[in-house]
Amino acid sequence: MSPVNEMPLRWRLTLLITLISTLTLGTAFTGYYVLEVRRLHEDVAKTSDGIANQLSVNVTHILESNPEPSKENLPLRVWLTANETIIAAVVYSPTNRVLASWIRPDSGASVGSLRAAYVQNFSTDEAVIPKKLVSRDNRRLGFLVLTARASEEARRSLMEPLQAMAGLFLLSLLGGLLVSRFLQRGISEPIAKLADIAQKVATEGDYSVRATVRGGGETAVLVDAFNSMLTTIQQRDAELVVAKNAAEKARERLAEINVMLEEANRTLEAKVADRTAELQKAMTAAREANQAKSAFLAKMSHELRTPMNAIIGYSEMLIEDSNDRGDASAVSDLRKILSAARHLLGLINDVLDLSKIEAGKMDLYLETFDVWTIVHEVVATAQPLIDRNGNRLVIECPEDFGTMHADATKLRQILLNLLSNASKFTSAGELSLQIRREQTAEREFIVIGIRDTGIGMTADQMANLFQAFTQADQSTSAKFGGTGLGLAISRQFARLMSGDITVESTMGQGSVFTVRLPARVAPPKVTAIPVEAPVAVPAHPSPATPTAVSASTPARRGRVLIIDPDPAIHTSLENLLTKEGYVVKLAQNDPAGLALAAEFRPHVVILDILLPKINGWNVLAQLKAHPTLATVPIVFLTMTEQPESGFAFGAADYVNKPVDPARLLPILARHNSTHSENPVLVVRRRRSFPRSHCPPARPRRLDGD
């Protein structure tokens, strides 16, 4: 640390004032001296300038005639002795060589030089005067340098003021010391006292002391700020004491709580174990309830659909018979029965679909299909309902819209539900179906908008729109009917395909439902279908089999083998196909059906996938494994299962129960027309709407033929 920093403040203040005074007076004294010396030199130079000019004329005259004269030819002593101001002179050649010089005796002077002639010398009272020697024809002959000295009177006039100023300088220093000594009482002493109090506070911790100051200014402000700081610290110290006491009480309370927590922890494990056991029981009960629900739905699905199939099948047969007899009244009643049965079957399908979705068992069966084809198939199906209410449909979907990779069955059902919903709540209005592609940064989407000009909805009605068994309100349900399942199932289907359905509506102006689906839906997880041990199928007809029929049995349209456990299905299909000119053979179980297939050599096999003893998938696999039956097209009947799994085993097509003649007959005609050895694989998906409104199915060839 610097010694100055260790000095007391009063001495530092004294030193500062003294230094400032010294620098100020010294600068003034030095400036005065420099100016006076310069003035003295100028006076001497002016006094000697005339002599220097006359002497330069004389020297020039001599050098013009003799550039290298001797010292005798330049009598400087003779010319300058009479003038006491000049104390020395020298003549230089153009090459700075001394031609002649003179110094006044007893002057103590020295011969000047060219360099000294151009440098101001403030340490003496002498002046050096240079003169260039130039001929009349402007030739440089050399230089003349004179040294002149001020007179005694001029020197006295210079020194007397300097002596007076030196005395004044000393007196000013003494005055500065006295002033600094006086001022430090008002500046350094309060600060010193403040430092003493701060030291006392720091060592003793006594915040009650206060500093005092006389007068005002910044020192008073500093002392007041210091006293205010001490007051704040004293208050905070008191608050800390209070907080310390409160913390001590809190610590005691915390100790009590810890004791209580330890007691609670001792019983917590037992409580957790009891709660875990309760949750396990609840989970087990929920699992059992879910299993019971699934079993109930599976059983009820079969138990409800089987009689419904019979009702629908016999109703269609009775309608045909009544039409043949011309009994119009019976036809009307039978059509009501048929409509009610199909409506009930649709409700059953919706409930089962919703149950599958809630159980997480609804699978996706993805394929690439033409969007325009799907749209127009759905429109053809929904057209009767659109026409019934006097509505007009506008379609904005070009034929070259392109393909999409998704579950075509679920897309059909979504579009049909939305079109049916729009038609039901719109009367003598306009419906529009718009389809466009939308590209995002991640993927491409297909956006389908269905707009109507119907009754519209309020915000409260839209909030509950997609809930199961819920419609806009009670009056809407009473007036327009419906169960409230269609929109709920449609949104669930859309979300299964990573999409969604949204709605915008204005009361009295109509609604807009928007379906947004990925153009390529991600594939679902594939689960294997269990295949049981195969049942032996005889490769050749067995003469012992009572139902044997020769392969050469005549037929107008072809031979059809039906393997189904339901007698009602036998009756309805046999009646239908016999009228169409087919030879029909029936089997109620899989062993009889396999044996009959080997003997009958059918052109088409109609197979129910829900057979007793073994399931229909195994029968399908065994038929395709037989050397003489492998090429026979197999159309299977389905009621609860998704049909897509059968195509992996080589099925040609499928028909949903109840059987729709408008769908079955074209399938049989297509597969029986050429008796092809290579079956055509035509994919059709199950629909949840009445078959009576379905257009004839257009075949889709997937085997590349």
Side-chain angles (χ1 to χ4, degrees):
M1 182 180 292
S2 173
V4 176
N5 294 332
E6 297 179 354
M7 296 173 61
L9 180 61
R10 59 179 179 273
W11 289 112
R12 279 187 279 175
L13 182 61
T14 301
L15 179 61
L16 176 63
I17 296 175
T18 302
L19 288 176
I20 293 175
S21 301
T22 302
L23 290 174
T24 303
L25 295 175
T27 302
F29 181 80
T30 302
Y32 177 79
Y33 174 76
V34 170
L35 292 175
E36 288 300 314
V37 169
R38 185 178 182 84
R39 184 184 59 78
L40 180 63
H41 287 176
E42 291 176 353
D43 291 344
V44 172
K46 289 179 182 179
T47 304
S48 305
D49 189 62
I51 299 173
N53 291 335
Q54 183 61 42
L55 183 61
S56 64
V57 172
N58 295 337
V59 173
T60 301
H61 181 71
I62 294 172
L63 292 178
E64 284 179 342
S65 60
N66 185 8
E68 297 292 335
S70 62
K71 295 181 179 181
E72 290 77 8
N73 294 332
L74 293 172
L76 297 178
R77 181 179 59 80
V78 176
W79 294 337
L80 298 174
T81 300
N83 195 327
E84 295 181 354
T85 305
I86 305 302
I87 60 174
V90 61
V91 179
Y92 293 95
S93 68
T95 59
N96 296 333
R97 184 170 58 85
V98 178
L99 299 178
S101 63
W102 172 79
I103 299 175
R104 184 178 294 278
D106 301 328
S107 63
S110 59
V111 177
S113 64
L114 289 175
R115 180 176 178 275
Y118 298 100
V119 177
Q120 186 73 49
N121 190 352
F122 295 98
S123 63
T124 66
D125 54 358
E126 298 176 355
V128 180
I129 305 168
K131 292 292 182 179
K132 292 182 180 180
L133 303 176
V134 182
S135 65
R136 286 189 294 272
D137 56 357
N138 290 328
R139 286 186 299 108
R140 192 174 65 175
L141 301 177
F143 299 90
L144 171 64
V145 180
L146 298 180
T147 302
R149 177 177 292 172
S151 62
E152 288 296 330
E153 182 179 359
R155 287 198 295 272
R156 284 196 300 271
S157 64
L158 173 65
M159 295 305 296
E160 287 176 358
L162 291 177
Q163 292 173 356
M165 289 187 66
L168 180 62
F169 177 75
L170 293 176
L171 290 175
S172 298
L173 286 178
L174 180 60
L177 290 173
L178 293 176
V179 170
S180 64
R181 189 67 179 172
F182 174 76
L183 291 177
Q184 71 177 1
R185 294 180 180 178
I187 299 176
S188 61
E189 286 185 3
I191 296 177
K193 292 180 180 179
L194 190 63
D196 293 340
I197 293 176
Q199 183 68 25
K200 182 178 180 181
V201 170
T203 55
E204 299 179 4
D206 184 7
Y207 300 108
S208 62
V209 297
R210 296 293 183 271
T212 58
V213 64
R214 290 174 297 181
E218 289 81 0
T219 306
V221 174
L222 179 62
V223 171
D224 290 341
F226 181 77
N227 290 335
S228 176
M229 181 182 67
L230 289 178
T231 301
T232 302
I233 294 175
Q234 188 176 12
Q235 293 176 352
R236 296 288 176 83
D237 188 61
E239 293 174 358
L240 287 175
V241 172
V242 174
K244 182 180 179 181
N245 295 333
E248 188 65 28
K249 293 180 180 179
R251 188 180 298 109
E252 295 175 356
R253 177 58 181 167
L254 183 61
E256 296 176 359
I257 293 175
N258 287 335
V259 173
M260 296 171 62
L261 287 176
E262 291 177 359
E263 180 65 23
N265 287 335
R266 282 193 290 268
T267 60
L268 181 60
E269 292 185 2
K271 293 180 179 179
V272 170
D274 294 341
R275 184 63 56 86
T276 302
E278 293 176 1
L279 290 176
Q280 188 65 35
K281 291 180 181 178
M283 290 177 61
T284 302
R287 189 181 300 111
E288 292 176 352
N290 189 47
Q291 292 175 353
K293 173 186 174 182
S294 300
F296 172 77
L297 289 174
K299 182 174 180 60
M300 291 305 296
S301 170
H302 185 76
E303 295 298 330
L304 289 174
R305 289 188 179 189
T306 298
M308 291 307 302
N309 291 332
I311 293 172
I312 292 173
Y314 281 114
S315 297
E316 291 175 344
M317 293 171 55
L318 291 174
I319 289 173
E320 292 180 2
D321 292 341
S322 298
N323 283 328
D324 294 340
R325 295 194 307 269
D327 189 355
S329 60
V331 170
S332 176
D333 294 337
L334 290 172
R335 289 192 182 277
K336 292 178 182 179
I337 295 173
L338 179 62
S339 176
R342 284 177 172 168
H343 178 69
L344 183 57
L345 183 62
L347 295 180
I348 295 171
N349 290 336
D350 287 344
V351 172
L352 292 175
D353 284 343
L354 187 62
S355 300
K356 279 189 175 182
I357 293 171
E358 292 176 350
K361 296 181 179 181
M362 180 63 72
D363 297 324
L364 293 178
Y365 298 91
L366 305 179
E367 60 179 316
T368 301
F369 53 86
D370 183 70
V371 177
W372 184 87
T373 303
I374 293 292
V375 169
H376 281 263
E377 287 179 357
V378 172
V379 169
T381 304
Q383 193 64 50
L385 182 58
I386 296 173
D387 297 337
R388 183 186 307 167
N389 286 348
N391 295 316
R392 185 173 66 91
L393 176 63
V394 178
I395 303 175
E396 298 182 15
C397 177
E399 287 193 39
D400 58 350
F401 185 82
T403 62
M404 156 181 205
H405 188 77
D407 191 319
T409 299
K410 291 180 176 56
L411 178 60
R412 284 192 190 94
Q413 186 166 346
I414 291 172
L415 296 181
L416 184 62
N417 285 341
L418 294 180
L419 280 176
S420 301
N421 186 75
S423 302
K424 181 167 62 174
F425 295 104
T426 304
S427 179
E430 181 177 285
L431 312 180
S432 65
L433 191 152
Q434 302 174 344
I435 301 182
R436 70 178 190 275
R437 293 184 183 270
E438 182 179 291
Q439 184 67 48
T440 65
E442 298 178 353
R443 63 202 305 186
E444 183 183 21
F445 286 87
I446 303 295
V447 181
I448 305 173
I450 298 177
R451 182 186 302 271
D452 64 66
T453 57
I455 61 175
M457 291 176 287
T458 64
D460 294 337
Q461 291 173 343
M462 286 189 290
N464 301 322
L465 187 62
F466 292 101
Q467 295 182 10
F469 302 103
T470 301
Q471 288 191 336
D473 53 33
Q474 295 296 329
S475 61
T476 302
S477 177
K479 181 177 180 180
F480 296 96
T483 61
L485 289 176
L487 292 179
I489 293 174
S490 297
R491 169 172 272 188
Q492 293 296 334
F493 282 171
R495 291 180 174 178
L496 280 176
M497 292 186 283
S498 302
D500 202 356
I501 300 178
T502 57
V503 62
E504 297 177 3
S505 183
T506 302
M507 193 65 181
Q509 298 182 14
S511 306
V512 179
F513 287 84
T514 302
V515 184
R516 193 169 186 267
L517 298 173
R520 186 170 186 83
V521 179
K525 295 182 180 179
V526 179
T527 56
I529 300 174
V531 179
E532 301 173 1
V535 177
V537 182
H540 302 285
S542 173
T545 303
T547 57
V549 179
S550 172
S552 61
T553 302
R556 290 179 296 150
R557 299 290 298 273
R559 299 184 297 276
V560 177
L561 172 62
I562 301 173
I563 305 177
D564 192 290
D566 189 356
I569 294 294
H570 287 183
T571 303
S572 61
L573 289 182
E574 183 179 22
N575 183 49
L576 171 66
L577 298 182
T578 301
K579 289 182 179 181
E580 294 295 327
Y582 290 96
V583 175
V584 180
K585 292 298 179 180
L586 307 172
Q588 289 188 342
N589 55 65
D590 47 280
L594 292 172
L596 185 58
E599 297 180 5
F600 183 48
R601 303 288 182 86
H603 296 134
V604 179
V605 174
I606 299 177
L607 172 66
D608 187 354
I609 60 174
L610 296 178
L611 294 174
K613 298 184 180 180
I614 62 174
N615 61 52
W617 305 120
N618 291 278
V619 177
L620 176 61
Q622 293 167 30
L623 288 173
K624 286 300 177 182
H626 194 275
T628 61
L629 300 176
T631 60
V632 176
I634 298 177
V635 178
F636 59 94
L637 301 177
T638 177
M639 184 165 55
T640 60
E641 301 294 329
Q642 287 286 352
E644 285 77 359
S645 302
F647 298 129
F649 291 91
D653 215 318
Y654 78 94
V655 177
N656 288 104
K657 290 183 178 181
V659 178
D660 182 9
R663 175 171 172 77
L664 177 61
L665 294 178
I667 292 175
L668 294 180
R670 183 168 61 253
H671 293 298
N672 185 54
S673 60
T674 60
H675 298 178
S676 171
E677 292 295 324
N678 295 317
V680 179
L681 180 61
V682 180
V683 180
R684 286 291 183 271
R685 294 185 178 270
R686 177 173 59 87
R687 298 173 179 170
S688 61
F689 44 86
R691 289 294 178 180
S692 61
H693 299 309
C694 296
R698 181 188 305 176
R700 176 170 297 169
R701 303 175 63 158
L702 300 181
D703 60 351
D705 190 8

